[in-house]
Structures are given as structure tokens and as C-alpha cells.
Amino acid sequence: MTHTESVETRPEPLSRAKSPGIDAAKATGLLHVDQTASTAFPFTADDRSAALALTAETLTAAGIKTTDRIVVALNNDGDLGGVLVAEAASEIASAAATVGPRGRMRLLRTLENIRANVLVGTPTGVADFLARLHLEFLVDPLDLELRLILLTGEIADPKKIEHLGREFGAQTVELFSDPISGVPIAHKAPKATALIPTRNNLLALAPSATPVADGHLAEIVVRYPWHSTLADASIRTGYLSTPDADSITAPTHTYGDLILIRGRWVSFTALTRALRGIDGIAHWELRIARQGTLDSATVFVSFNRDSLVANGMWHGRIAQAITAITPISIDVEIDPHVREDSAPPSIHDDRGHHL
């Protein structure tokens, strides 16, 4: 039985926005909320213990040893990601700390002072840290003596992951973290393509809910046999993968309303709602690129009258509306030409990730 067939024998998988089990208005306990707080994954005390145990199993399968000293540089604001990984790591390793992704000098000092030999971060975050070691801090990455780097939260370029391994002299292993709960539930060995789920019945594939440009891709679906109230739930992740009869390959694309930028999911619907109330916008486009080590995002705005093109107050309103809905830094660029016709907002992803 293929992974896609295994989904067909269960109820239709629900979208992240429509799953009743993560309705923010009804969820109780410790809540893992999305950026718009429209969904909230609930953790009772038992659920959190189960999540920690599952995370610890995933970290062990990915190569964590009892003698390791670990620094986690993942997002902590608005989710449980970095805290959950660090807490689970502390139970199976010698020591673990979480410092968040911001502040590369702080990360360097933490690695040095704790004498860490394992780093957990996003692919672009670790790549940016590497670049700063060379260009700003004048530190040889080999001097950090890392033996293992765990990467999660983004669609990564395999060549860049190999480059990180060579530069740090460390093994690089990818983790697949469930974007709904924040729990790492699978890993991918170096140079492999298939995900290795930590337990059975955690991952499956389903046809995409809406058509995508590449008809050969299927959506990764997450299941929760470990959870007290969501044991029968199947929730779509927004990640797309190449179907395989024997395995689920690591995600290669995303699609739908949520766009993955710098390891965070940005809601296109929320962005549209925020900008809809600003008068004079004829069209705007969310442009994402990865020209250096990190993702960049820009909202390119076209106005319908000339008086707004150079209006600093109007530009500030747009920037403030964007800042209010996401912690991701999104620049605002104004089209110097007036656009008389109106058009729906659009997305342009130079990375080629979002379909």
C-alpha cells in the first residue's frame, strides 16, 4: 500500500485553517498558535509529555548522543519550536540551550561558552551564521568543533547543505518538523531523499487540495496518534512532495495560502486583508527571493493615482499594516508608475519554492 492510498482509507485530510481540532476559539491547554492566532494546536500536560518524548526519539534517530552539548537557534516567538527541541534534547544529551535565531554574535558566544558540539537551526540561518563567521567575526568554522548540525523549518538546497557540512567539518541531517504542532517527527539522512518517520502512522501523502503547476506532486499530511484529542486527525501541511510507492520524499515545494519565508509561514490571506483597507492600491505583489544566505520578501505596490506614489505617510501605512501581521521583515517597494486598472494581489517566488 502506498502512502497516498493510506490516506484514501481515512476521512478527507483537513486544511490547517479548517481543522476543528485546532480552532483557536475552542482549543484549551497550552496552545501553539499560528501567526494570525486563527489556529491553535492544543497541548494538555500529557500531550506535551508525549510531544517531548516524540521529539527526543526524533533527535536520537537523527544522531544526538548522550554526551552531546546542544544549542538550538530556532524561532521561539509565537511557537514552541526552539523551546520544545531544547527541552527534549536536554533529556537525552548532556546539555541543551535555546538562543533563538536572531543575534549571530550571541549564537557564536553561546556555542563557545557552552562548548557545544551540536547546532540546530534553519538551513538559511546556519548559512548566514557561516557567512558572518568568515566576513565579520573572522572565525574559522572548524574551530567551533561541531560534529553534527540539524537543519529544519525550510526547503533547503542539497548542495548548500553539503557545503555547510564541509565548512563546519560536521555531519548535516535534516529534520522534518510538523508545521502545525512544531514537533519534529522525521529526519532525512545526508544525501538521501526520503524522510524517515520516527514512528509509524505519522506521515502520509494526499492529492493537493487545489491544482498545482506540477501535477506529479502530492501534499504531505500529518497524523497525531500520540495526541489525546487529535488521534484520528489528518491535517494538510502545505508542503508538497514527490509521490513514491515506498517512501515520502523530503518536501520540494509549498502551495496554497501559506508561504514559507525564513522558516516562518506567512498567510497570504491575512496580508490581503491587512492591505485591503488602504485606499489607492491598484495592485500589489509579494516577491520572495534568496539571493544571498537569507530569504528576502518585498511587497511591490502599484497605486491608482499619482498623488500617492511619493506620499510617505501612505507608504508608512502599508509598512505598518504588514508589520502588524507577521514578525518576518517584509520591505515595501512602490511602483513609480500609476496603474489605472485594478488586479488581484499576486505572489512571485524567485526561489521556485511556492507554487
Side-chain angles (χ1 to χ4, degrees):
M1 179 180 291
T2 67
H3 291 285
T4 304
E5 291 171 342
S6 68
V7 172
E8 293 171 355
T9 63
R10 300 165 66 96
E12 175 68 19
L14 299 170
S15 72
R16 291 157 71 170
K18 296 182 180 179
S19 174
I22 56 175
D23 184 344
K26 299 178 181 179
T28 59
L30 179 64
L31 304 181
H32 173 186
V33 299
D34 71 346
Q35 291 182 21
T36 61
S38 57
T39 63
F41 191 93
F43 286 94
T44 64
D46 288 342
D47 293 334
R48 183 160 173 78
S49 295
L52 285 169
L54 179 54
T55 301
E57 287 180 40
T58 303
L59 295 176
T60 300
I64 295 294
K65 300 178 180 179
T66 57
T67 55
D68 284 333
R69 303 179 66 81
I70 303 161
V71 170
V72 181
L74 293 173
N75 288 302
N76 293 326
D77 49 342
D79 63 54
L80 299 175
V83 174
L84 186 74
V85 171
E87 188 174 350
S90 70
E91 296 182 358
I92 59 172
S94 175
T98 176
V99 295
R102 298 179 180 89
R104 306 302 186 203
M105 177 60 78
R106 184 177 71 249
L107 174 57
L108 173 61
R109 293 291 175 256
T110 305
L111 288 168
E112 291 177 331
N113 293 341
I114 291 179
R115 298 292 190 269
N117 64 337
V118 178
L119 173 62
V120 185
T122 62
T124 60
V126 177
D128 186 68
F129 177 56
L130 173 63
R132 290 174 184 269
L133 287 177
H134 283 306
L135 299 176
E136 294 182 26
F137 308 148
L138 304 180
V139 173
D140 186 339
L142 294 175
D143 290 343
L144 296 179
E145 298 183 339
L146 297 178
R147 75 160 194 89
L148 177 65
I149 299 174
L150 300 180
L151 303 168
T152 190
E154 291 179 318
I155 295 174
D157 181 345
K159 293 182 179 179
K160 289 188 177 181
I161 290 181
E162 290 182 17
H163 175 69
L164 290 176
R166 288 194 304 270
E167 287 283 326
F168 283 102
Q171 184 183 32
T172 53
V173 176
E174 291 181 69
L175 301 178
F176 178 82
S177 297
D178 168 26
I180 297 99
S181 69
V183 177
I185 57 176
H187 75 281
K188 184 174 77 69
K191 298 185 179 180
T193 58
L195 293 174
I196 304 173
T198 305
R199 300 175 187 169
N200 293 329
N201 204 32
L202 293 175
L203 290 173
L205 290 178
S208 58
T210 57
V212 294
D214 189 338
H216 298 291
L217 296 174
E219 186 168 7
I220 296 178
V221 172
V222 176
R223 296 170 177 166
Y224 303 92
W226 55 271
H227 196 274
S228 59
T229 59
L230 297 172
D232 296 323
S234 296
I235 303 179
R236 295 177 178 273
T237 62
Y239 280 118
L240 294 173
S241 171
T242 304
D244 188 290
D246 301 316
S247 63
I248 296 178
T249 59
T252 56
H253 295 84
T254 58
Y255 85 116
D257 174 57
L258 298 172
I259 304 102
L260 193 57
I261 306 173
R262 291 195 180 188
R264 304 303 296 265
W265 295 86
V266 176
S267 169
F268 191 67
T269 297
L271 198 56
T272 301
R273 190 180 301 118
L275 297 180
R276 184 180 295 150
I278 299 178
D279 179 50
I281 297 179
H283 174 258
W284 62 268
E285 182 174 68
L286 177 61
R287 299 178 176 180
I288 310 120
R290 187 179 292 173
Q291 296 178 343
T293 54
L294 296 174
D295 294 338
S296 64
T298 302
V299 169
F300 184 83
V301 179
S302 297
F303 288 116
N304 59 15
R305 54 184 185 270
D306 188 65
S307 61
L308 298 179
V309 173
N311 190 317
M313 184 180 73
W314 237 247
H315 304 174
R317 287 185 62 191
I318 295 171
Q320 290 170 6
I322 295 171
T323 301
I325 65 166
T326 176
I328 297 296
S329 176
I330 299 179
D331 296 327
V332 176
E333 184 177 346
I334 305 300
D335 185 351
H337 305 289
V338 172
R339 178 168 178 163
E340 296 181 358
D341 63 309
S342 297
S346 56
I347 301 171
H348 182 82
D349 187 353
D350 281 337
R351 305 168 304 176
H353 293 174
H354 196 76
L355 302 182

